[in-house]
Amino acid sequence: MSLVYFEELFFTLAFIIYIIASIGFFVFLVSSKEKVGKFSVTASTIGFVIHTIAMILRIIESGRLPFSNQFEFANSFTWAIVLCYLVIHYIYKFTAVGGFVMPLAFLMMGYASMLPKTIKPLMPALQSRWLTIHVGTAIISYGSFAVATGLSLMYLINERHKVKDKKISHLPDAEVCDYLSYRVTAFGYLMLTLVIVTGAIWAKKAWSRYWGWDPKETWSLITWIIYSTYLHLRFNRGWKGKTAAWFSIIGFLCVIFTFIGVNVLLPGLHSYR
Amino acid sequence: MIKKIGRFIIGLKFAIILFILIAIYSIIGTVIPQGATKEFYLHNYESFGNIILLLQFNKVYSSFIYRTLLLLFIVNITGCTIKLLPSQIARLKDDYFPAPGKSAENLWDEKYDTEEFKNILEKKGFKIYKSENGYKAAKNRIGVLGSSITHLGIIIIILGSFIGNLFAYEGYINLLPGESTAFVEQGFILKLDDFYLGFREDGSTEQYYSELKIIEEGKEVEAKKIWVNNPLKYKGINFYQSSFGWVSELTIKDSEGNIIEKASLKNNEYHFYQPKHLTVYLYGYYPDFAIDHEGQPVTITQQKKHPHYAVILYEFNNYVDSFITSPGQPIYYEDLEITFEDSSLYTGLTYRRDFGYYFVLIGCLFMFVGLLLSFYLYPRFVIVGDKTILPVTKQNIWGYTMQLKNLLSSTSKQ
C-alpha cells in the first residue's frame, strides 16, 4: 500500500472527525453539557493531529510543501483554521469558540475534497523559495481571519440573547469575544501585509514587476483595505460590538472570494489548478 | 469655512470614504476586462459601453480618476500624520502620563504586594516613576509612533511606485540561439548563446534556460544562465525568462526542384508568395502532435517525438486548403512544392529597469515595523496609588488588563 492510500485515508478520517466535532460543539451550545464540550475539543485536537499526519505524508510523497494547487491551498487553509482555533482555545479556554470555527474548517475541507488531488510537479513560476513564505503566511492569515469571524458570530449571537434576557451561560462574555476578535484580526492583518509584501518581492523576481493588478493581487488589496478600515474605525472611533462584528464578517467574505471566487470567476496569473 | 474643509480633507471620515472608493474602483477593474479596444466595450456592453469608456473603466488602474483618488489619499494620510506627529512625540517624553480611562478596572486588592509588583514590572521592562501616593510605570513609549511609521511606509510605497513607473524602462525581445540585441543607450549588447528546455521523466517541461552573455566594447563582461525566478541583472536592467516558442523553416520550390523562396515562420505567422498571390499560413508547429477531443491539433509535450505542422493556404485571401504535414513532407500546390523542414526554439525575454521597486521595499519595511509597534509594542502604563492599581493603554485594554492580573497574582501574599 502506498503513501497516497494512507494520505487519503487520514484526510478522510480527519474530515469525519471535524464533522463529529462540529456536531458536538453544536450540541454543546444547545444543551450546555460540559462533557460534550470537552469531547468536541478533544475530537478537534485528534482530528488536527490526523490531518497533520495526512499533510506530512503528502509532503514526503511530493517532496515539497503542499502549496501548489487549489486542493493543496484549501487543505492547508483548513489546517491553519484548526491550528489557529486550537491555539486560541488552549490560551483562553473558550470551548464555545469551536462551535463557530469548526464548521468553517469542515466546510473548507469539504470544498478541498471536491477538488482534484493529484500531485503535479511544480510549474516553473512556482519553483522558488518564496512559495513557502508567501503561501505559508497566507494560510496563517486566512486561518486567523476565520477564527476572528467565528468570534464575531459568537458575539452577535451573544448580544441577541442578552436582549432576550436569557444569556447562554457557557458563552464567554460578549465583550471578551469582541476584544479577542479584534486582536486575532490584527494578527491576521499583519500576516496579510506580509503575504502582499512577499508576493510583491516574488513577482518582481518571476514576472518582472512587483505589482501588476492581477485579479488575485487586486482582491488581496481590497481585503487589506477593508480590514484597514475596520482597524481605523475600531481604534479611532471606538467602534465596537455589532458594527465591528459585521465588518469582520464582511472582511472574511472578501477573503473567501479572494481565495475561491477569483479562481473560478476571474482567471489570471494566479489561477493554479 | 476653509479651515473646516482642510480639517475634513485630513480627517478620518475622508480617509474612510477614499478607502471605500478605491476599493469599489479596484473591484470594477477586476470585473471589466482591462485594456481592450474601444470597439470591444461598445460591442459587448452595448449602451453601457459608453459609460465604461467615459468613466475609464477600461483602464481603471491608470485612469485619471484612480490617480486622483490616490493623490487625495496621499494628501489625506500625510496631513493626518503631520497633524498627529507633534502630540505623539510629546508622549515619548518621561513626563507624559495619560489619565486612566473611565472604564479602567481597578486591580487593587489587599492581598497583593505592590512593592513586589513594582519589582516585577521593572524586570518586565517597565520604567518606574515615583508619584505622590505611590508610583507609576511605563513601557514601550516608542509604540505610539507605530501609526505614523506605517503611514510613512504607505506614502513611500505609493509615491515611489508612481515615480518609478514614470521612469521605468521595459520591453520584450525574442531571440534565437546565436542572435543578439543592442542596448544602444546603455552601451552593451545582449547575446543569447543557447536556449533549451529541461524535461521531467514524464516528458513535461520542468524549466526554461537561456544562456545569456553581455558584451561591452567587444568584450564579454558577464555571462549567466537564467531561468524563471532567476533573472540576470546588468546596469540596473533585469532580464527575465518569460516565454518561448518555435521558429519553422519554410521552403518553396518550383516544378524543377529549384528553391525559389525561403522563410522562417513562428506559429500563427504567414508568408506571402507574390507571383501566385499565395499565402502560406503556419497555424502551428506541434513537436509531439496529437488531436484533442474538439478535433484541434495540440502538442502533448515540447519534445520532438512526433513533429507535425498545421498549414493553411490562401489565394487572393480565399481559403484553399489545410494540411497536417511532417517535417520535409511536401505540400503540392499547382506547380509549387511547399515544405516545412525543421523547427528550432527561440526564447522570449522581458527586460525591465524600475528603481521604484527599492522605494516599495523600504516602504514595506516601514509599514511592517509600524504595524508591529502598533499591535504588539503599544505603550503600556500602570498607575499605582492608594488602594488603586489602574492599567492604562489605548490599544488593547482587555489583553493588557489580563496580563497585569497575571503579574499581580504572582505577588499574592496568601
Side-chain angles (χ1 to χ4, degrees), chain A residues 24-88:
Chain A
F25 278 121
F26 182 74
V27 173
F28 168 69
L29 287 178
V30 178
S31 70
S32 325
K33 282 191 180 128
E34 207 55 50
K35 264 190 184 162
V36 183
K38 267 197 181 142
F39 164 79
S40 311
V41 172
T42 315
S44 307
T45 315
I46 294 171
F48 180 72
V49 172
I50 292 175
H51 193 181
T52 311
I53 295 172
M55 302 265 285
I56 291 172
L57 288 177
R58 195 176 176 90
I59 292 169
I60 295 172
E61 212 180 315
S62 60
R64 55 172 166 77
L65 291 175
F67 287 169
S68 72
N69 62 23
Q70 192 69 355
F71 164 73
E72 294 187 345
F73 295 146
N75 194 8
S76 306
F77 188 1
T78 313
W79 184 82
I81 293 175
V82 183
L83 173 72
C84 293
Y85 159 63
L86 289 175
V87 168
I88 293 288

Side-chain angles (χ1 to χ4, degrees), chain B residues 40-60:
Chain B
F40 171 84
Y41 298 102
L42 295 173
H43 182 257
N44 285 294
Y45 295 91
E46 289 164 19
S47 56
F48 191 60
N50 282 313
I51 301 172
I52 289 176
L53 293 174
L54 181 74
L55 296 175
Q56 296 179 306
F57 289 165
N58 56 330
K59 45 167 189 164
V60 165

Side-chain angles (χ1 to χ4, degrees), chain B residues 223-392:
Chain B
K224 188 180 178 185
K225 180 159 93 175
I226 69 161
W227 58 86
V228 181
N229 275 310
N230 182 27
L232 158 72
K233 190 176 177 186
Y234 189 71
K235 284 196 170 171
I237 304 179
N238 285 289
F239 294 91
Y240 300 89
Q241 180 66 51
S242 69
S243 71
F244 78 100
W246 295 92
V247 178
S248 308
E249 299 305 322
L250 164 72
T251 316
I252 303 178
K253 292 179 188 165
D254 62 14
S255 52
E256 281 140 34
N258 301 316
I259 296 173
I260 45 178
E261 203 115 314
K262 259 183 160 313
S264 301
L265 296 186
K266 290 174 185 151
N267 290 354
N268 298 311
E269 281 187 345
Y270 58 84
H271 179 75
F272 184 58
Y273 179 55
Q274 171 71 29
K276 300 262 178 189
H277 293 281
L278 178 75
T279 301
V280 181
Y281 178 69
L282 177 61
Y283 184 79
Y285 166 66
Y286 308 92
D288 191 3
F289 176 79
I291 297 281
D292 74 358
H293 60 275
E294 283 167 355
Q296 287 292 315
V298 287
T299 190
I300 298 166
T301 67
Q302 295 298 341
Q303 286 170 311
K304 283 188 190 173
K305 285 181 186 165
H306 186 41
H308 278 80
Y309 298 91
V311 185
I312 305 175
L313 299 186
Y314 296 90
E315 189 183 2
F316 287 109
N317 283 331
N318 296 317
Y319 174 81
V320 176
D321 205 352
S322 54
F323 306 86
I324 300 284
T325 67
S326 50
Q329 181 190 351
I331 295 167
Y332 296 103
Y333 176 74
E334 293 182 359
D335 58 345
L336 297 178
E337 193 186 306
I338 301 158
T339 40
F340 279 95
E341 295 288 348
D342 193 17
S343 301
S344 42
L345 281 166
Y346 67 83
T347 188
L349 303 174
T350 301
Y351 57 89
R352 187 174 168 90
R353 184 189 60 197
D354 179 1
F355 62 80
Y357 174 64
Y358 302 102
F359 286 101
V360 170
L361 276 189
I362 293 166
C364 287
L365 189 67
F366 272 92
M367 189 166 71
F368 189 69
V369 169
L371 290 176
L372 267 184
L373 286 175
S374 284
F375 294 152
Y376 296 102
L377 297 169
Y378 52 86
R380 291 145 221 238
F381 305 93
V382 193
I383 299 173
V384 181
D386 186 25
K387 291 188 179 177
T388 55
I389 299 178
L390 293 171
V392 186

Side-chain angles (χ1 to χ4, degrees), chain A residues 92 94 121-128 176 179-180 182-183 186-187 189-190 193-194 197 200-202 204-210 213 215 218-219 221-222 224-225 228-229 231-233 235-237 266, chain B residues 12-13 16 19 22-23 26-27 30-31 61 66 151 154 161 165 200 204-208 228-231 238 240 350 352 354 356-357 360-361 364 367-368 371-372 375-376 378 394-398 402:
Chain A
Y92 297 101
F94 297 148
L122 282 184
M123 55 184 284
L126 291 182
Q127 294 168 20
S128 167
V176 174
Y179 258 115
L180 206 52
Y182 161 56
R183 291 304 290 172
F187 175 74
Y189 179 79
L190 192 69
T193 310
L194 269 185
V197 171
I201 296 172
W202 186 11
K204 162 85 178 160
K205 263 197 119 179
W207 298 331
S208 85
R209 81 291 180 294
Y210 51 87
W213 299 107
T218 312
W219 271 94
L221 177 69
I222 293 162
W224 190 83
I225 290 176
S228 304
T229 313
L231 290 169
H232 276 89
L233 291 174
F235 190 58
N236 294 304
R237 291 273 154 117
L266 308 166
Chain B
L12 182 63
K13 216 181 236 171
I16 301 295
F19 271 153
I22 290 172
S26 303
I27 291 174
T30 66
V31 177
Y61 310 113
Y66 205 73
H151 288 172
I154 291 169
S161 62
N165 278 336
R200 298 191 189 89
S204 63
T205 309
E206 192 199 7
Q207 197 46 275
Y208 313 93
V228 181
N229 275 310
N230 182 27
N238 285 289
Y240 300 89
T350 301
R352 187 174 168 90
D354 179 1
Y357 174 64
V360 170
L361 276 189
C364 287
M367 189 166 71
F368 189 69
L371 290 176
L372 267 184
F375 294 152
Y376 296 102
Y378 52 86
K394 216 182 152 191
Q395 178 65 248
N396 175 26
I397 184 72
W398 174 76
M402 237 169 83

